[in-house]
Amino acid sequence: MKTIDTYNFKNKKALIRVDFNVPLNDKFEITDATRINAAIPTIKKVLNDEGSVILMSHLGRPKDGPEDKFSLKHLVKYLSEKLNTEIQFADDCIGKNAFELASNLKSGEVLLLENLRFYKEEKKGNEDFAEKLAGLGDVYINDAFGTAHRAHASTAVIAKFFPKDKLFGYIMENELENLNKVLSEPQKPFTAILGGAKVSGKIEIINQLLNKVDNIIIGGGMMFTFIKAMGGNIGSSLIEEDLLDVAKNAIEKAKKLGVNFYLPTDVIAADEFKNDAQKISCDSFDIPEEWMGLDIGPESSEQFAEVVNNSKTILWNGPMGVFEMSNFEKGTKDIAEQIAEATQEGAYSLIGGGDSVAAINKFNLSEKVSYVSTGGGAMLEFIEGKELPGVKAIMG
Ligand code: AMP
């Protein structure tokens, strides 16, 4: 397979699917440019080779055609500063104007296309739409890992129009390399830490990981479904009643496979779902009526720290508690710090999924772990063992 490093882009127009889905404030200023910044190396590689660049992305969730607040024109200024060059803008991602601007691009020049999702055809994976986009470039690069689990026109369908000239960008290459490192050749002991609100979103990944890990640690709102399945009293904590059997089966599967399944032994419970609620520390299997567990307790943190400390590979997805509220952030902070410490001592750690990334950033620890994945849903599906359409389209 060709890679971006071995490809010579001289005099080629590279059509790059990027993930510029960045948050904007009410003045349309970018409040977090991480995703744009991450794509710069791929763009620069093409420009340094004396090729030209056509950038395409979605932004937000436009419902019915163009909406000013979702226009990619708001990104032009930042992008031109970042690349230190003028950015041309096509106010429609297909059509005559886009085609002319693309045709006239000279080497070293950059064209940004308007939001792909102003066309319903994008999410539907429409082939005609994909072909029109494909007509703008000579070579296709997919560097949008965050949407790699979607079979959209610009993320997957389009690749067929570039049978020879289709490549992963650096972000995609990095993501796949790091995720493969964890899944195909993890150094043991391998510990997976899973948290977040619901079991339903994570049960497939838990079942998949049970075949690979030595330890699994469960925290967050989803722990209560497991605790109740084991006969615990969970008060008014979050619960998915319909998944009690599923949770029990996962625990039994772990036992059969010899995987250590860790549930918190203590929790911090609150009388209301708010930061300044009254709080108590209690046994996680004996939470009083009307109280809800919003974080793991200190005894659990200590036990988890020991497991993390003895691990060589660590995968973390999902917060241990309601970390957005300062009074219930401690369990998540403790685990993040512990992962950072284990990493300094030689373990390999991969953090992924929107909320754990937000947590690791909140505690300023992203530089202290081995890799932070940019893809929430895409990362989960990859770990579940599903084939990602965006990846398959390039490999196939
Ligand atoms: P997810 O998107 O499923 O990873 O869930 C992340 C969300 O789970 C975060 O917004 C947390 O605030 C929330 N969460 C974590 N622990 C709890 C808990 N014990 N009760 C309710 N929500 C929680």
Side-chain angles (χ1 to χ4, degrees):
M1 214 183 85
K2 287 176 190 159
T3 71
I4 181 163
D5 270 330
T6 55
Y7 196 96
N8 187 350
F9 292 93
K10 191 171 166 73
N11 297 325
K12 300 263 190 193
K13 295 182 203 304
L15 182 59
I16 313 180
R17 175 50 159 110
V18 284
D19 179 1
F20 282 178
N21 185 24
V22 290
L24 302 177
N25 62 18
D26 51 8
K27 288 189 199 119
F28 303 116
E29 292 155 347
I30 300 164
T31 53
D32 179 356
T34 310
R35 288 177 171 161
I36 298 182
N37 298 344
I40 299 296
T42 295
I43 298 170
K44 283 203 167 152
K45 156 70 177 151
V46 176
L47 298 178
N48 289 342
D49 274 4
E50 295 175 27
S52 54
V53 168
I54 302 159
L55 298 168
M56 54 178 178
S57 178
H58 72 284
L59 174 66
R61 294 173 180 215
K63 289 209 175 63
D64 212 6
E67 271 177 82
D68 190 64
K69 66 176 174 179
F70 296 127
S71 173
L72 279 152
K73 74 179 180 204
H74 303 305
L75 275 47
V76 167
K77 185 165 168 276
Y78 180 83
L79 198 55
S80 68
E81 280 164 14
K82 194 81 197 163
L83 288 168
N84 204 13
T85 187
E86 189 199 332
I87 305 293
Q88 301 179 44
F89 182 69
D91 57 8
D92 185 350
C93 63
I94 53 172
K96 195 161 164 269
N97 186 34
F99 188 76
E100 273 172 14
L101 285 168
S103 306
N104 294 328
L105 268 191
K106 297 187 198 66
S107 44
E109 292 185 339
V110 181
L111 169 66
L112 175 66
L113 303 180
E114 183 55 290
N115 197 337
L116 295 162
R117 291 199 191 162
F118 285 171
Y119 284 88
K120 286 207 163 34
E121 287 83 348
E122 162 64 358
K123 280 176 83 170
K124 287 187 178 150
N126 181 285
E127 213 170 300
D128 290 340
F129 179 68
E131 189 171 12
K132 283 180 189 146
L133 290 170
L136 302 175
D138 306 313
V139 45
Y140 168 67
I141 301 177
N142 188 349
D143 213 16
F145 184 71
T147 48
H149 57 316
R150 306 278 182 229
H152 294 170
S154 70
T155 61
V157 181
I158 192 170
K160 74 168 69 154
F161 301 105
F162 299 90
K164 293 207 183 90
D165 299 290
K166 49 182 182 173
L167 308 157
F168 291 126
Y170 289 123
I171 298 175
M172 284 287 257
E173 275 189 3
N174 255 336
E175 290 280 354
L176 296 174
E177 194 189 313
N178 281 282
L179 291 175
N180 274 322
K181 202 179 279 179
V182 166
L183 288 187
S184 41
E185 48 195 75
Q187 275 205 57
K188 301 261 177 176
F190 179 5
T191 300
I193 306 156
L194 296 170
K198 290 183 167 177
V199 184
S200 44
K202 306 265 166 85
I203 191 65
E204 275 187 71
I205 194 175
I206 292 174
N207 277 325
Q208 192 62 30
L209 283 169
L210 283 174
N211 299 315
K212 300 180 189 289
V213 300
D214 304 290
N215 307 304
I216 193 154
I217 291 174
I218 304 282
M222 70 178 184
M223 67 174 148
F224 301 107
T225 302
F226 289 95
I227 290 172
K228 184 157 186 195
M230 299 295 288
N233 297 319
I234 58 160
S236 61
S237 307
L238 215 57
I239 176 77
E240 286 170 279
E241 296 278 354
D242 52 333
L243 291 180
L244 288 170
D245 282 345
V246 172
K248 208 169 182 180
N249 289 342
I251 295 173
E252 273 159 20
K253 182 176 172 185
K255 213 179 268 169
K256 261 189 220 135
L257 292 169
V259 174
N260 301 311
F261 199 98
Y262 294 96
L263 283 168
T265 49
D266 60 342
V267 294
I268 305 297
D271 60 349
E272 274 183 87
F273 190 82
K274 59 178 194 191
N275 192 39
D276 53 2
Q278 278 204 67
K279 57 177 189 170
I280 51 168
S281 165
C282 60
D283 187 318
S284 60
F285 276 66
D286 201 9
I287 303 174
E289 290 285 315
E290 322 263 308
W291 289 75
M292 62 185 93
L294 294 186
D295 196 8
I296 61 172
E299 185 185 284
S300 311
S301 275
E302 221 167 275
Q303 187 190 22
F304 295 171
E306 202 181 315
V307 179
V308 170
N309 211 16
N310 289 323
S311 305
K312 286 270 171 291
T313 304
I314 303 155
L315 171 68
W316 179 31
N317 177 292
M320 295 289 99
V322 186
F323 75 102
E324 299 93 333
M325 299 184 192
S326 58
N327 287 331
F328 302 100
E329 68 173 22
K330 179 127 185 15
T332 304
K333 193 174 181 199
D334 284 346
I335 208 99
E337 282 172 350
Q338 199 54 49
I339 295 171
E341 203 175 307
T343 311
Q344 306 308 310
E345 278 158 27
Y348 176 84
S349 55
L350 191 149
I351 321 299
D355 280 311
S356 13
V357 176
I360 205 101
N361 286 335
K362 179 174 181 188
F363 307 130
N364 286 323
L365 291 168
S366 55
E367 301 295 320
K368 297 199 167 150
V369 295
S370 309
Y371 191 72
V372 180
S373 174
T374 57
M379 175 186 146
L380 288 185
E381 291 198 15
F382 190 90
I383 293 172
E384 281 163 18
K386 290 185 186 151
E387 199 167 45
L388 307 185
V391 173
K392 187 176 169 212
I394 300 283
M395 310 274 276

